[in-house]
Amino acid sequence: MRAVVVREHGGSEVLRADDWPDPSPGPGELVVSLAAAGVNFVDIYRREGRPPYAGAVPFVPGAEGAGTVTATGQGVTSFQPGDRVVWSDAPGSYAEQVIVPERSAVHVPAGVSLEVAAAVMLQGLTAHYLCHSTYPVAAGDVAVVHAAAGGVGLLLTQMTGLRGGVVVATASTQAKAALAREAGAQHVAGYGDFGAVVREVTGGAGAAVVYDGVGQATFDDSLAALRPRGMMVLYGAASGQVPPLDPQRLNAGGSLFLTRPTLAHYIADAAELRWRAAEVFDQVASGELDVRIGGSYPLADAARAQQDLAARRTTGKLLLIP
Ligand SMILES: NC(=O)c1ccc[n+]([C@@H]2O[C@H](COP(=O)([O-])OP(=O)(O)OC[C@H]3O[C@@H](n4cnc5c(N)ncnc54)[C@H](OP(=O)(O)O)[C@@H]3O)[C@@H](O)[C@H]2O)c1
């Protein structure tokens, strides 16, 4: 089969389309014919070999996708050939055929295309756990959503709104600001003035929560934008890693909470994965949640997709199509 293969860690040029052995399913595994793979920031970190994401080379990157089951291994009970499935954590997803553990696979509901399923899985589950579990947004809460026109950002803005939250979004361009507004953000600010907007909107009190996937560039102002006992949810580092922090800053900021969550811990077992995925797909199927596919690239153009994502040229979700 054809796959994208990384033979040494490095820049996007190490992503090359190549031949790779056809997979066969081990016990508890499915082989899936890929319809679309999702592109995520973590794919870039793995390509670069950045700790703690680095693995051995050579490898096929990607972890997210959707497609049709072609074979099942011993002991598989929930899936059969022909089923449409989606996943967020099957290594080797930038390939025509993907091995997906049964535990990681979710049935794609009727009425949802495989492309939309691949586009919403990882970032939709992430947006879901952030606003339902890490900090469960209550009606009237003011929530800052950084990079609101991005993949996670557009979904998180919508889901926060569905819970009755008031979103103060950030975005770097007017076009991205317009997308954030369409997703339901009541206020859209720049990275330099979101703190002032939060103060104005809350009468000086501060935000209940900041969802920050940008990291280094926004962290200090995000902490400063919180109300006493507010929660700083640092879930990514698109602008770089946040340096080590003195816990006394949380005291000085008003007994703040800081968490650095990751999806794997919020789909901790099959039941939690299925519950979260069902809620996300219900919202997609009912039309409550709009999934924006900002770019589709041929599988062989994975390098260009990752370059565009890293260079802030994208909105919504990026897909690779075999
Ligand atoms: N912890 C988890 O469970 C989890 C799960 C999924 C994703 N993530 C993280 O969530 C973040 C967003 O992921 P995503 O896939 O949805 O990406 P994305 O938001 O679609 O793309 C990143 C966006 O971040 C903004 N940004 C600000 N400063 C940047 C910089 N210096 N370089 C690049 N981008 C910058 C850009 O939007 P503007 O141009 O509007 O600034 C850019 O479009 C990433 O940090 C990712 O690692 C975490």
Side-chain angles (χ1 to χ4, degrees), residues 286-307:
S286 71
E288 281 177 304
L289 191 64
D290 179 55
V291 181
R292 178 181 172 82
I293 298 174
S296 291
Y297 303 70
L299 186 61
D301 280 355
R304 191 161 55 85
Q306 289 195 359
Q307 285 161 10

Side-chain angles (χ1 to χ4, degrees), residues 37-186:
V39 179
N40 291 288
F41 247 86
V42 70
D43 303 341
I44 297 174
Y45 301 149
R46 292 197 181 113
R47 183 201 76 213
E48 292 171 340
R50 212 188 278 195
Y53 307 102
V57 287
F59 70 100
V60 174
E64 179 185 38
T68 306
V69 176
T70 56
T72 56
Q74 211 184 0
V76 170
T77 55
S78 307
F79 299 92
Q80 56 190 18
D83 285 356
R84 300 183 329 135
V85 293
V86 60
W87 60 92
S88 64
D89 60 349
S93 291
Y94 288 10
E96 288 175 339
Q97 296 178 61
V98 183
I99 292 270
V100 181
E102 181 177 23
R103 181 214 168 285
S104 298
V106 170
H107 288 282
V108 177
V112 177
S113 73
L114 289 174
E115 286 75 16
V116 166
V120 76
M121 187 66 171
L122 191 149
Q123 294 169 338
L125 292 172
T126 299
H128 187 279
Y129 85 71
L130 289 172
C131 71
H132 287 77
S133 302
T134 306
Y135 178 87
V137 171
D141 276 347
V142 172
V144 175
V145 176
H146 284 306
V152 175
L154 280 174
L155 298 169
L156 181 56
T157 298
Q158 294 176 74
M159 286 188 196
T160 299
L162 288 169
R163 291 180 65 93
V166 175
V167 173
V168 176
T170 57
S172 66
T173 67
Q174 287 305 317
K176 289 186 175 188
L179 286 175
R181 261 188 216 99
E182 275 170 37
Q186 285 90 335

Side-chain angles (χ1 to χ4, degrees), residues 197-208:
V197 172
V198 167
R199 279 192 294 282
E200 195 184 311
V201 169
T202 61

